[in-house]
């Protein structure tokens, strides 16, 4: 691997295992603006794994936003789901006065990318909100793109619908909230049973997204969730680990958590500070 790539926050290799670093909400570092088209273009060129959030519009298309309401991230007002393309064209992101990224824009940007690049569409609405029309929109715009796409969400009905309409796209599921609830109510054995059912369920997921503290809590209780998923042929993304002080690197507490996580060999770690995490890891390994 070249020095340049080393500095780009793409992956960490440890004990023969490669863990990709995924750029959370299209940010290579916290200093980057949320959902930056410029950072996405850089990631496409470098072969990065990146994530963005999609919210459904009134016309069945999508816009790259996390929140249900426009107020939090943009200059607009009201629910995203009530807005059409024309409503959203004049609205800007609060950071940097940038235009919003619509799904049509995304499809155009993804026509030329590095073969290793992977873009996760994290669907923030459920199938009831998105419906057959929204899935048809995804099919119309993303069936023949060059980049690898993985569609994820916690709505299993939605992921099944995507599988039926777009069988060539990768799929991911995030059972974290459900598993936290099961652990509280019924304990770790019930968590294991539910996770196995999800892995073998109708979504046929490629990747399982799990909160990294949940992974470590399970491991301390004797349940290796990552190994369980990998034994079923699935990848695991541990989310979201972000250094509090990117320049200083790991605090002792952060290092204990991160090194314990890396020992379990996740396939990917979601972070808002990918290059800094890679640098901090290398610094610790050199000590």
């Amino acid at each position: 691997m070249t020095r340049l790539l080393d500095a780009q926050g793409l992956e960490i290799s440890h004990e023969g295992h490669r863990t990709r670093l995924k750029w959370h909400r299209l940010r290579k570092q916290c200093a980057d603006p949320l959902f930056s088209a410029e950072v996405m273009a850089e990631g496409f060129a470098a072969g990065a794994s990146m994530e963005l959030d999609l919210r459904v519009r009134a016309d069945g298309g999508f816009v790259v936003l996390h929140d249900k309401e426009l107020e939090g991230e943009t200059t607009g007002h009201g629910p995203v789901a009530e807005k059409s393309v024309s409503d959203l064209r004049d609205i800007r992101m609060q950071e940097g006065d940038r235009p919003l990224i619509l799904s049509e824009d995304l499809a155009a940007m993804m026509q030329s990318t590095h073969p290793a690049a992977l873009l996760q569409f994290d669907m923030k609405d459920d199938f009831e909100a998105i419906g057959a029309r929204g899935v048809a929109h995804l099919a119309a715009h993303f069936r023949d793109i060059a980049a690898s796409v993985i569609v994820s969400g916690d709505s299993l009905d939605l992921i099944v619908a995507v599988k039926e309409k777009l069988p060539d796209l990768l799929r991911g599921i995030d059972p974290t909230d459900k598993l936290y609830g099961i652990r509280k109510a019924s304990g770790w054995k019930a968590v294991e049973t539910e996770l196995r059912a999800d892995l073998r369920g109708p979504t046929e997921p490629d990747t399982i997204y799990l909160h990294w503290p949940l992974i470590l809590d399970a491991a301390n209780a004797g349940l290796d969730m990552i190994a369980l998923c990998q034994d079923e042929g699935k990848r695991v993304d541990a989310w979201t680990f972000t250094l509090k002080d990117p320049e200083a690197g790991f605090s002792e507490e952060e290092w204990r958590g991160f090194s314990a996580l890396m020992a379990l060999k996740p396939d990917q770690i979601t972070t808002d500070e990918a290059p800094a995490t890679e640098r901090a890891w290398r610094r610790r390994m050199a000590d």
Side-chain angles (χ1 to χ4, degrees), residues 81-255:
E82 294 177 4
K83 309 297 181 184
S84 65
V85 170
S86 56
D87 295 327
L88 295 169
R89 284 288 183 202
D90 295 330
I91 293 173
R92 293 289 180 267
M93 297 295 286
Q94 287 179 4
E95 291 180 280
D97 193 38
R98 295 165 295 126
L100 308 189
I101 302 174
L102 304 178
S103 42
E104 294 86 348
D105 307 324
L106 260 184
M109 293 173 74
M110 296 176 73
Q111 289 307 324
S112 58
T113 68
H114 189 290
L118 176 65
L119 190 60
Q120 177 192 350
F121 290 176
D122 196 14
M123 311 302 287
K124 291 301 178 186
D125 299 291
D126 59 18
F127 186 52
E128 191 177 355
I130 290 171
R133 186 172 65 155
V135 175
H137 177 95
L138 288 175
H141 288 87
F142 297 100
R143 182 175 280 127
D144 299 317
I145 49 167
S148 293
V149 170
I150 181 164
V151 179
S152 69
D154 55 12
S155 170
L156 298 187
D157 290 346
L158 173 63
I159 304 305
V160 170
V162 168
K163 178 182 81 170
E164 289 168 357
K165 200 83 176 172
L166 287 146
D168 293 337
L169 291 193
L170 299 171
R171 292 174 300 280
I173 58 171
D174 186 347
T176 294
D177 287 348
K178 177 178 67 173
L179 296 180
Y180 269 124
I182 289 171
R183 181 195 69 177
K184 195 172 178 182
S186 309
W188 288 112
K189 193 66 194 166
V191 167
E192 179 180 349
T193 300
E194 184 69 17
L195 181 55
R196 282 189 194 279
D198 281 345
L199 298 177
R200 298 171 182 178
T203 61
E204 298 180 25
D206 169 85
T207 298
I208 315 300
Y209 298 90
L210 295 168
H211 194 211
W212 72 265
L214 177 67
I215 292 170
L216 292 191
D217 286 351
N220 289 333
L223 172 60
D224 187 339
M225 298 173 99
I226 292 177
L228 191 157
C229 292
Q230 291 172 343
D231 286 349
E232 295 279 344
K234 314 300 182 184
R235 285 189 270 257
V236 174
D237 176 305
W239 58 266
T240 297
F241 189 102
T242 298
L243 291 166
K244 290 186 181 70
D245 187 338
E247 291 307 311
F250 293 107
S251 68
E252 288 310 311
E253 185 185 0
E254 285 175 330
W255 177 245

Side-chain angles (χ1 to χ4, degrees), residues 31-66:
D32 291 333
L34 202 60
F35 301 127
S36 162
E38 291 73 24
V39 174
M40 180 162 58
E42 186 185 345
F44 280 153
S49 178
M50 299 175 285
E51 178 250 17
L52 54 78
D53 298 324
L54 288 181
R55 282 280 177 191
V56 71
R57 311 184 309 236
D59 54 22
F62 298 87
V63 59
V64 179
L65 289 172
H66 175 274

